[in-house]
Amino acid sequence: MATAQRMRRHLRQESLVLLGVSLIAACAPPARPPQFAPRSHVPLAGTPTGTANWPQQQWWKRYGDPQLNRLMALATRDSPDLQQAQARYTAAERAVDTQEAQLNPQVRGYVSGAHAYSKVVTHAQPGGGASGSQELSLPTKHSWSNDGLAAALFSWDLDVWGKQKDAVAQAIGQANAAKAECAMAANSLHYNVARTYFDWQSQQARLQWARQAARDAAAYRKLVALRVHAGLDDPQLLDQADARVAEQQRNIASLEGASSLDLVQLAAVAGVSMQELGTLQAHALPAPDTNVPPYAGLELIGRRPDIVANRWQIEASVKGIDAARAAYYPDVSLLALGAYLRAFPDLGSGTRANIGLGNFGASVSLPIFSGGRLKAQLESQQAALDNAVAIYNGTVVQAAHDVAQQIATLQQLRAQQIQTDRQLADVATQDQRADRRRRQGLDDDRSWLGLQMQLAQQRDAQVQISSQLLTANLALIYALGGGYHERVVPDLPAGPTAQDASR
């Protein structure tokens, strides 16, 4: 008998051990995922050295253009893109508040009242009677009752394993990413406003020279017509002069159409009506800053708001993995309950019952079997991290490409500008000689008018090169982040893995 009791006791101990091992195994999370490897260096082959500084915030003010400053203020105030980005950031901030609130204790109140009615009908059969004997019916009982309950439940998740803190950190990362996305929207807006505005100024400068060329072409045509009518020149020369006048008129119409389109686009980008846009005054294009940063590697392009947003997304994904791993551990909470019940079980009888309840203690809940939910949640967070790293690497590579492309464009345009200036100087010299000869009566005005039209054409080419240089300069400012600079940026993981990924 004693032996059987010892065997039963031994079996119970083994069962408890097996149960404890099973519970611990159920709580153990999988191994931490392998270290991710975001790109930590981006060399820009062919990038020359220069003396330009990093673009400052509100970089457009360096042009000293009050019209441009007013347009920037209008666009910042009314841009739908900025409003949408700000709304997303506000929603992300509220999500942080929601996650932080989960760390605080909660008290929930419960109040209920009920009015009940019961009717009891009892049928009985005399004991020992025959099956066909008559049943006995007892008097029907009717009862009315009232009861009221008031209770308060206190709960506090102690977050022993840091699951909720990781969720808060994940929400903070997403909020910081949304904040950087606001800067992305602002950078794009400022670039588009400046580019469209200066393109309109370029069209105005080109219109000035196109109208001058049209006037010279009309004067040239008038002289040719006089000579043709006098029988001094071939009528075919008049046809050529007419074609030249028509070409200049088409050029003016094209430039006026492009100018009007720029105004419409400028109003659309700024999110205002044409009336709010107001009347713009034309003036000379500013000289673009053609210098480039001494080194435009990741240290510089890493300040771009889209890259900063991607880095915060990586940080948020890492915290999401930590929170998913912590979900495998038990939840430990403190609970307290206080309740008061008053009941009137039989109204009219004067009977009542008062019951007070109260307890306090700890609660532990742990996932023993989740049907694969925890594993799927962890793998989902790992996939989100892989996606964030891939987007970050792609953004870095694209940013390096954008910067290198704009630097190469500036180099090419500077070389073209030198040649255009030389051609303009040559035509200007020829024009001066022709002007002296016509004043001396050695030539008629046709040679001089022809050179005047060439001079207007070369000045138009010079304006186009200046406009392209300014556009490339604006694109470089945009590619470098438009003056955005965030002091608090999560660090990338260091080590051989990250270094290998950059090779």
Side-chain angles (χ1 to χ4, degrees):
M1 187 70 177
T3 302
Q5 290 179 352
R6 284 196 300 270
M7 291 181 62
R8 285 195 295 269
R9 188 181 305 111
H10 182 68
L11 288 175
R12 284 196 300 269
Q13 292 174 352
E14 287 185 347
S15 299
L16 291 175
V17 172
L18 289 174
L19 178 61
V21 171
S22 300
L23 294 178
I24 294 174
C27 295
R32 180 180 290 275
Q35 182 73 19
F36 58 92
R39 190 175 290 266
S40 60
H41 178 72
V42 181
L44 298 179
T47 301
T49 59
T51 58
N53 294 323
W54 166 257
Q56 300 297 318
Q57 292 183 349
Q58 298 184 342
W59 47 265
W60 56 90
K61 291 187 175 180
R62 65 179 294 272
Y63 298 113
D65 190 336
Q67 286 186 143
L68 180 59
N69 296 340
R70 181 179 65 84
L71 291 174
M72 288 295 187
L74 273 178
T76 304
R77 184 193 68 188
D78 296 324
S79 171
D81 292 340
L82 282 184
Q83 293 172 357
Q84 293 176 19
Q86 184 61 44
R88 289 192 295 268
Y89 174 51
T90 302
E93 283 189 316
R94 298 293 79 78
V96 174
D97 296 339
T98 301
Q99 293 296 340
E100 288 179 339
Q102 301 298 320
L103 292 169
N104 300 326
Q106 302 181 56
V107 178
R108 301 184 63 181
Y110 180 80
V111 177
S112 69
H115 179 66
Y117 167 75
S118 63
K119 177 181 179 181
V120 180
V121 180
T122 305
H123 298 279
Q125 190 172 4
S131 59
S133 60
Q134 186 177 3
E135 293 182 347
L136 298 177
S137 296
L138 299 178
T140 301
K141 295 184 63 178
H142 299 269
S143 175
W144 296 87
S145 64
N146 286 341
D147 63 80
L149 173 66
L153 174 64
F154 168 86
S155 62
W156 188 12
D157 185 356
L158 299 182
D159 194 29
V160 176
W161 314 108
K163 177 177 66 175
Q164 194 56 43
K165 293 184 178 65
D166 290 331
V168 171
Q170 182 182 16
I172 291 175
Q174 292 171 345
N176 286 327
K179 180 182 178 182
E181 289 171 358
C182 289
M184 288 170 53
N187 185 26
S188 178
L189 175 68
H190 297 153
Y191 164 69
N192 285 311
V193 169
R195 179 182 58 82
T196 308
Y197 172 75
F198 284 127
D199 188 72
W200 179 84
Q201 291 286 6
S202 171
Q203 304 299 341
Q204 300 307 302
R206 294 188 63 195
L207 272 171
Q208 176 186 353
W209 296 115
R211 289 172 180 142
Q212 179 63 46
R215 289 191 295 268
D216 293 336
Y220 184 89
R221 191 262 180 204
K222 183 177 180 180
L223 287 176
V224 172
L226 290 174
R227 293 181 62 85
V228 169
H229 292 156
L232 299 177
D233 284 336
D234 189 339
Q236 186 177 357
L237 295 178
L238 183 58
D239 296 336
Q240 294 175 1
D242 288 336
R244 183 176 293 181
V245 171
E247 180 182 358
Q248 296 300 331
Q249 294 299 329
R250 284 197 302 270
N251 188 31
I252 291 174
S254 176
L255 292 173
E256 288 177 344
S259 177
S260 299
L261 185 60
D262 279 339
L263 292 178
V264 172
Q265 185 176 357
L266 190 57
V269 171
V272 298
S273 64
M274 294 294 294
Q275 291 74 18
E276 291 179 278
L277 196 63
T279 302
L280 300 180
Q281 301 296 324
H283 53 70
L285 290 174
D289 184 2
T290 57
N291 292 319
V292 296
Y295 178 66
L298 189 61
E299 299 84 8
L300 190 57
I301 64 175
R303 301 178 185 179
R304 282 173 48 136
D306 52 350
I307 292 180
V308 172
N310 293 153
R311 289 172 70 171
W312 277 115
Q313 288 291 358
I314 291 176
E315 181 74 7
S317 299
V318 171
K319 296 303 180 181
I321 289 178
D322 292 339
R325 294 183 75 251
Y328 282 83
Y329 295 105
D331 291 331
V332 180
S333 303
L334 295 179
L335 298 176
L337 173 66
Y340 179 77
L341 173 66
R342 169 169 287 188
F344 298 88
D346 188 4
L347 291 179
S349 65
T351 304
R352 70 177 183 181
N354 296 327
I355 302 175
L357 299 175
N359 67 355
F360 176 80
S363 171
V364 179
S365 64
L366 68 163
I368 297 177
F369 177 73
S370 62
R373 294 176 180 84
L374 295 180
K375 180 181 179 181
Q377 181 179 356
L378 181 60
E379 291 177 348
S380 175
Q381 293 295 335
Q382 177 62 44
L385 174 60
D386 295 339
N387 182 61
V389 172
I391 292 176
Y392 172 83
N393 290 337
T395 304
V396 168
V397 172
Q398 184 61 46
H401 170 75
D402 293 343
V403 172
Q405 182 180 18
Q406 298 310 320
I407 291 174
T409 301
L410 285 171
Q411 292 175 330
Q412 179 184 4
L413 290 174
R414 280 201 300 268
Q416 294 180 14
Q417 187 182 42
I418 293 174
Q419 296 301 322
T420 302
D421 292 343
R422 289 176 180 175
Q423 292 175 0
L424 177 62
D426 292 341
V427 175
T429 301
Q430 296 176 31
D431 179 72
Q432 291 174 1
R433 292 173 182 171
D435 186 44
R436 285 197 302 267
R437 290 181 64 84
R438 77 181 182 92
R439 291 179 183 275
Q440 294 171 359
L442 301 177
D443 287 330
D444 59 29
D445 288 350
R446 287 180 300 167
S447 299
W448 176 73
L449 288 172
L451 287 171
Q452 283 287 300
M453 286 184 282
Q454 290 184 33
L455 190 61
Q457 183 179 5
Q458 289 300 321
R459 292 194 184 280
D460 178 76
Q462 190 181 48
V463 170
Q464 292 186 62
I465 290 295
S466 297
S467 176
Q468 293 171 15
L469 274 169
L470 186 57
T471 300
N473 179 250
L474 295 176
L476 179 60
I477 292 175
Y478 173 73
L480 292 175
Y484 173 78
H485 183 68
E486 178 60 47
R487 296 182 178 179
V488 181
V489 179
D491 294 330
L492 293 175
T497 305
Q499 293 175 359
D500 294 340
S502 64
R503 295 174 182 172

